[in-house]
């Protein structure tokens, strides 16, 4: 009955069964070239026919209803797009924070590794010195000419071992920082239809 090109249609109960109404005035509700619905006004039996001014006023109301329905649809689309943009922004911020944390971990690992390498290489030399010192101490104790009884010299090897263990723990921690920096993924980009 309703054709968006033709405009409003007046229908009588003689033409179409209207379930207890004498006539109906039906307006198309177009939006962007599509028919999104109809607006209908009904008359009881015995009521006067629709006048030209009612036809014109109904057209204005139908246009406003079509515009309001289309605006509500567009508002829903806009609301979804805003939600998607905010969600994407949140994910990008999280990814950037993780990336920065990874970069910081890599920087810290590099800055700790340099002095740690020096400490570890010097610990190896100190360990060898401790072995030589211990041998010298044992020879000196066997000699009746010199009396050396200093426990601090004897403990040098043990102290070097504790420092080596702690340094290796630091090295392992720095290695895990490096792994964290290497695992930071780049944020995935995805298309969003605006």
């Amino acid at each position: 009955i309703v054709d968006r090109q033709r405009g409003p249609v007046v229908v009588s109960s003689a033409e179409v069964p209207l379930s207890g109404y004498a006539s109906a005035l039906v307006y198309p509700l177009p939006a962007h070239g599509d028919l999104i619905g109809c607006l209908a006004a009904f008359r009881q039996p015995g009521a006067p026919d629709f006048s030209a001014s009612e036809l014109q006023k109904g057209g204005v109301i139908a246009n406003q209803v079509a515009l309001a329905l289309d605006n509500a649809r567009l508002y829903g689309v806009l609301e979804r797009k805003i939600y998607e943009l905010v969600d994407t922004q949140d994910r990008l911020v999280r990814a950037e924070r993780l990336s920065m944390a990874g970069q910081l971990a890599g920087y810290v690992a590099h800055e700790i590794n340099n002095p740690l390498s020096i400490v570890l290489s010097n610990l190896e030399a100190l360990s060898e010195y401790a072995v030589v010192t211990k041998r010298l101490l044992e020879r000196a104790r066997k000699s009746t000419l010199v009396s050396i009884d200093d426990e601090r010299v004897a403990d040098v090897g043990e102290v070097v071992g504790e420092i080596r263990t702690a340094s290796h723990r630091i090295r392992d921690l720095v290695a895990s920082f490096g792994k964290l920096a290497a695992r930071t993924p780049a944020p995935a980009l995805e298309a969003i239809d605006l």
Side-chain angles (χ1 to χ4, degrees):
I1 293 176
V2 177
D3 181 355
R4 66 174 167 260
Q5 267 60 18
R6 218 172 63 179
V9 178
V10 178
V11 180
S12 70
S13 60
E15 298 173 50
V16 177
L18 297 175
S19 300
Y21 294 102
S23 61
L25 180 56
V26 182
Y27 294 91
L29 299 177
H32 304 288
D34 292 328
L35 185 65
I36 60 172
C38 299
L39 176 66
F42 296 94
R43 286 281 163 101
Q44 297 285 338
D49 291 337
F50 290 103
S51 68
S53 69
E54 289 175 324
L55 192 64
Q56 185 180 13
K57 289 175 188 174
V60 171
I61 292 170
N63 285 336
Q64 293 298 315
V65 168
L67 184 62
L69 288 173
D70 192 44
N71 283 345
R73 181 191 63 80
L74 290 173
Y75 180 79
V77 168
L78 179 64
E79 190 174 39
R80 281 192 309 278
K81 295 300 178 188
I82 288 172
Y83 174 79
E84 289 173 6
L85 286 173
V86 168
D87 184 54
T88 301
Q89 181 184 19
D90 288 346
R91 284 186 282 136
L92 286 173
V93 166
R94 281 193 302 271
E96 184 63 24
R97 284 182 183 161
L98 283 175
S99 174
M100 288 175 64
Q103 289 174 359
L104 178 62
Y107 174 77
V108 168
H110 177 74
E111 290 302 315
I112 291 175
N113 251 344
N114 288 338
L116 183 61
S117 297
I118 294 168
V119 168
L120 286 171
S121 66
N122 286 332
L123 275 175
E124 291 306 314
L126 188 57
S127 181
E128 291 172 16
Y129 297 156
V131 170
V132 171
T133 305
K134 190 172 182 180
R135 284 185 198 146
L136 288 174
L137 181 61
E138 288 172 4
R139 284 185 191 166
R141 284 186 181 151
K142 289 180 184 176
S143 167
T144 54
L145 299 174
V146 179
S147 173
I148 299 177
D149 196 21
D150 192 347
E151 289 300 316
R152 290 179 290 178
V153 175
D155 290 341
V156 168
E158 187 177 319
V159 170
V160 168
E162 289 174 3
I163 294 171
R164 182 183 293 121
T165 300
S167 298
H168 284 287
R169 285 181 59 201
I170 292 171
R171 183 192 62 203
D172 293 344
L173 180 62
V174 167
S176 68
F177 282 168
K179 289 177 187 174
L180 174 65
R183 279 192 214 154
T184 304
L189 299 177
E190 58 184 70
I192 295 178
D193 182 19
L194 296 176

